[in-house]
């Protein structure tokens, strides 16, 4: 029985994507997960920007923010004491 090339390609693609998930689990094993202290959406002309804020474990005098939209994202940290 011959395996059609498209069936092989679909099986190969599924295998690679599942291995990416396994690799992520292996590389982050033992890492502590923290919950953001605040998370919200900002409405900007029809595009929602997701924002997450947290206080880093090794610097309690700092607050960091991560903002992500459909095109770009970024992290900024600032001192709470200022």
């Amino acid at each position: 029985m011959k395996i059609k090339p498209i069936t092989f390609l679909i099986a190969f693609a599924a295998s690679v994507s599942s291995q990416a998930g396994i690799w992520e689990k292996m590389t982050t094993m033992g890492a502590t997960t923290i919950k953001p202290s605040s998370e919200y959406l900002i409405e900007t002309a029809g595009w929602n920007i997701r924002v997450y804020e947290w206080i880093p474990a090794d610097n309690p005098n700092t607050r960091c923010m991560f903002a992500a939209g459909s095109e770009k994202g970024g992290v900024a940290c600032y001192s709470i004491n200022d």
Side-chain angles (χ1 to χ4, degrees):
M1 181 173 163
K2 292 183 180 180
I3 298 176
K4 293 182 180 181
I6 190 73
T7 305
F8 176 76
L9 288 174
I10 291 171
F12 180 75
S15 172
V16 169
S17 69
S18 68
Q19 288 176 8
I22 293 170
W23 178 251
E24 180 185 1
K25 295 282 187 204
M26 288 174 47
T27 57
T28 59
M29 191 181 315
T32 303
T33 301
I34 62 168
K35 298 256 185 214
S37 57
S38 183
E39 53 186 286
Y40 46 91
L41 297 174
I42 299 174
E43 173 64 34
T44 56
W47 300 95
N48 285 333
I49 296 176
R50 299 176 314 277
V51 178
Y52 303 92
E53 296 183 15
W54 72 95
I55 296 173
D58 64 344
N59 191 351
N61 297 320
T62 301
R63 177 177 297 274
C64 293
M65 298 174 66
F66 172 74
S70 61
E71 297 291 324
K72 295 182 179 181
V75 175
C77 296
Y78 56 93
S79 175
I80 295 173
N81 295 331
D82 288 345

